[in-house]
Amino acid sequence: MTDETKDSNGNVLADGDSVTLIKDLKVKGTSVTLKRGTLVKNIRLTGDTDLIECNAEKVKGLVLRTEFLKKA
């Protein structure tokens, strides 16, 4: 069985997908808050099925939990 990375709705995510935030998220260590509905393009999967890596507005190398995302 292969571990698949899935969004909050159970859709399978792949490298290069675009996702939308379903909740406002504060970014630790910065004053940036990513708003609900923000589109994040070109995600990268990590070894952990609960995490993805991406670059969002003004924040590079951000790691997000898949429970706060839905596939765009």
Side-chain angles (χ1 to χ4, degrees):
M1 181 180 145
T2 59
D3 290 334
E4 295 176 324
T5 302
K6 296 184 178 181
D7 69 2
S8 61
N9 296 332
N11 298 318
V12 177
L13 297 173
D15 279 340
D17 280 351
S18 295
V19 294
T20 306
L21 299 181
I22 60 171
K23 182 181 182 205
D24 286 0
L25 298 174
K26 287 192 169 94
V27 181
K28 279 188 184 174
T30 70
S31 59
V32 176
T33 299
L34 298 176
K35 297 289 184 199
R36 184 172 151 256
T38 300
L39 182 67
V40 178
K41 296 179 182 174
N42 202 14
I43 65 169
R44 293 176 301 283
L45 301 181
T46 63
D48 190 333
T49 57
D50 292 332
L51 302 173
I52 59 118
E53 196 177 316
C54 62
N55 292 333
E57 49 187 71
K58 302 175 194 148
V59 186
K60 303 290 183 221
L62 187 62
V63 176
L64 295 175
R65 295 193 60 83
T66 55
E67 65 197 72
F68 301 126
L69 307 172
K70 70 177 180 183
K71 195 168 185 175

